[in-house]
Amino acid sequence: MERTITTKPLWHGVFLVAGGAIGAGMFALPIISAGAWTIWASIGLIIVWLATYLAASTLAKINIALASNATIDLDYQSSFSSLVKQTLGVGWERINNLSILFIMMILMYAYSTAGGNIISYTIENAGYNISQVLRQSLSLIFASIIGLIVWLGTSIVSRIVLILMIAMATTFGLASLGISSHVGTDKLFVSVNTVQYILVTLPVFVTAFACAGLVPSLVLHYQSKPKDVHRCLYWGTALALFVYLFWIVITFGSVGREGFRQVISDGGNIANLSAALLRSGAAMNVESRLTLFSHFAVISSFLAVAVGLVHFVQDKLSLNKTSLQRLTATVICFLPPAMASFFYPYGFVQAIGLAGLFVAFSFFVIPSMMALKVVSRNLVAIPLYHICIVMGFGLLVFILKCASLFGVLPHYE
């Protein structure tokens, strides 16, 4: 009996892409963009959005072509790792797997520091003083709680993430309404030269839009309507772009460019941005809504990345699904980023940017290399200039992040 394929509605994929992008990382956007400010930051976001969509769409074409080809040992269940192995070989598959492992580990570190920072900020707002050691320990405690939830199972995580995404949308909408009334249009535009700061923003922007890892899931969901994969990628990333541009405008218009100097000098974490918005005149209820949103965003982002990493480690180490072996995988995944967050508690924005280094490689350079391979084998038709744009942009972001790490690029501070 032939299996009936049930196609998901289009909105399901759109929100899967947008939800996978929008999260705690959006708090890094105004902080890293403070130098470039409104116009150049907006231009940078639009450029990265277009490049991200083109890269993800290129990967989708490869995935659909290989999965539907009966002569190739792949199907619609195939993972990103399997696609890389089939097109580029075992060596590149291993290199790409290491890159994705680094992305997940770096993001887990970023979310550990962000979670500890938000909790400490909430405690201090309640009138309690906490020591630096306790502040750093909160990151460990936060990561341990998330690790416990992940260890309990994917079904529990999926339910929690769904609730958190609804809560995120509600609190972000309420907070934005409160903040937008304090936006000053005079703060949005400055006469000084800001274009030189755009280069340092691109690796962070790339991380904020990263969605290529979702392509195999979309191809599986929409195998009977392959064009819907591209529609989901386009509208999902476009929705993320709209949210990011809106967020940039209301934070810039409230805090002002000089106000972000204080945010950056305070550590550039989520709580520092919330405090700056409060100083700009936002009401206490706006701060509480924004704090709630930041809690929901960090937890949902942390859970999503952690589940993927635990599954990745289980697969690569051939660990089965017993409680003990799942606990082993969870400890392997959580211990390094949690310890790093204890010893270096103010690296949220830097970590998001560092993740962009590996995102540029795995989600831009690797798909363009795969595209060259499958086009040469006449398995799919992809314009050469599309491939060149994807590879060129990935290499550009990779070079820019390396230059930033060595202090070559100007930083606003």
Side-chain angles (χ1 to χ4, degrees):
M1 183 177 178
E2 188 175 340
R3 183 171 62 91
T4 302
I5 298 173
T6 303
T7 303
K8 301 283 186 180
L10 186 65
W11 65 264
H12 184 279
V14 171
F15 282 102
L16 179 65
V17 173
I22 300 169
M26 67 182 289
F27 282 92
L29 298 181
I31 296 169
I32 197 65
S33 304
W37 211 236
T38 311
I39 294 176
W40 286 108
S42 299
I43 291 172
L45 282 169
I46 293 169
I47 290 171
V48 172
W49 165 61
L50 290 170
T52 299
Y53 168 70
L54 189 58
S57 182
T58 298
L59 181 60
K61 289 178 181 178
I62 297 168
N63 195 341
I64 293 167
L66 296 181
S68 60
N69 194 318
T71 64
I72 296 175
D73 188 23
L74 287 174
D75 57 25
Y76 287 99
Q77 301 281 347
S78 298
S79 65
F80 185 25
S81 179
S82 299
L83 293 170
V84 175
K85 181 179 179 180
Q86 175 66 37
T87 54
L88 301 178
V90 176
W92 282 110
E93 179 206 16
R94 290 172 179 170
I95 293 172
N96 188 59
N97 285 344
L98 283 175
S99 176
I100 291 175
L101 179 65
F102 278 121
I103 292 170
M104 291 180 174
M105 282 285 189
I106 291 167
L107 290 177
M108 286 178 65
Y109 158 75
Y111 300 146
S112 295
T113 62
N117 185 257
I118 295 167
I119 294 170
S120 64
Y121 177 71
T122 304
I123 293 173
E124 288 174 337
N125 266 7
Y128 299 96
N129 292 322
I130 60 175
S131 66
Q132 181 61 28
V133 174
L134 178 56
R135 181 179 285 106
Q136 293 173 233
S137 300
L138 287 171
S139 296
L140 282 173
I141 295 169
F142 177 70
S144 299
I145 294 172
I146 298 296
L148 176 62
I149 295 171
V150 171
W151 174 63
L152 291 174
T154 305
S155 60
I156 293 175
V157 172
S158 62
R159 294 188 187 98
I160 293 174
V161 169
L162 177 61
I163 295 170
L164 289 172
M165 288 189 68
I166 296 171
M168 277 173 56
T170 303
T171 52
F172 180 71
L174 292 173
S176 297
L177 287 173
I179 298 170
S180 59
S181 62
H182 298 277
V183 172
T185 54
D186 57 313
K187 295 179 181 179
L188 291 174
F189 305 100
V190 293
S191 58
V192 296
N193 186 15
T194 59
V195 65
Q196 71 268 25
Y197 294 108
I198 189 62
L199 298 177
V200 77
T201 67
L202 296 184
V204 176
F205 289 175
V206 162
T207 306
F209 282 104
C211 63
L214 293 170
V215 167
S217 296
L218 292 173
V219 171
L220 175 63
H221 288 330
Y222 300 100
Q223 54 185 286
S224 62
K225 292 184 177 180
K227 287 186 178 180
D228 280 359
V229 175
H230 301 280
R231 294 189 181 104
C232 290
L233 290 170
Y234 179 83
W235 290 111
T237 53
L239 179 58
L241 173 66
F242 172 79
V243 171
Y244 293 157
L245 290 173
F246 178 70
W247 177 238
I248 286 286
V249 168
I250 63 173
T251 52
F252 282 3
S254 297
V255 177
R257 193 165 187 255
E258 287 302 313
F260 270 93
R261 288 187 186 274
Q262 185 65 45
V263 175
I264 294 168
S265 65
D266 288 343
N269 272 300
I270 294 175
N272 306 126
L273 179 57
S274 297
L277 288 168
L278 183 63
R279 289 195 298 268
S280 71
M284 287 297 295
N285 62 349
V286 171
E287 184 202 23
S288 63
R289 295 167 189 169
L290 193 60
T291 301
L292 280 173
F293 168 73
S294 61
H295 280 295
F296 298 145
V298 170
I299 294 171
S300 63
S301 298
F302 203 162
L303 285 172
V305 172
V307 166
L309 182 57
V310 169
H311 287 173
F312 180 88
V313 169
Q314 281 183 292
D315 178 53
K316 298 307 172 185
L317 298 183
S318 299
L319 298 173
N320 58 36
K321 295 184 179 180
T322 64
S323 295
L324 181 59
Q325 295 207 358
R326 185 171 177 81
L327 178 61
T328 301
T330 304
V331 171
I332 291 172
C333 295
F334 276 85
L335 189 59
M339 293 304 298
S341 70
F342 177 82
F343 291 106
Y344 188 54
Y346 299 107
F348 175 71
V349 176
Q350 295 88 335
I352 297 293
L354 188 58
L357 184 72
F358 297 96
V359 169
F361 173 76
S362 287
F363 296 158
F364 286 84
V365 176
I366 287 291
S368 60
M369 291 171 61
M370 294 167 65
L372 288 173
K373 197 74 172 181
V374 296
V375 167
S376 67
R377 293 163 58 186
N378 295 318
L379 295 174
V380 65
I382 302 175
L384 182 60
Y385 74 92
H386 281 196
I387 301 173
C388 291
I389 290 172
V390 173
M391 178 171 285
F393 186 81
L395 291 173
L396 173 64
V397 172
F398 192 90
I399 292 169
L400 288 176
K401 185 56 191 178
C402 290
S404 177
L405 290 173
F406 286 103
V408 176
L409 298 181
H411 289 255
Y412 182 74
E413 52 190 17

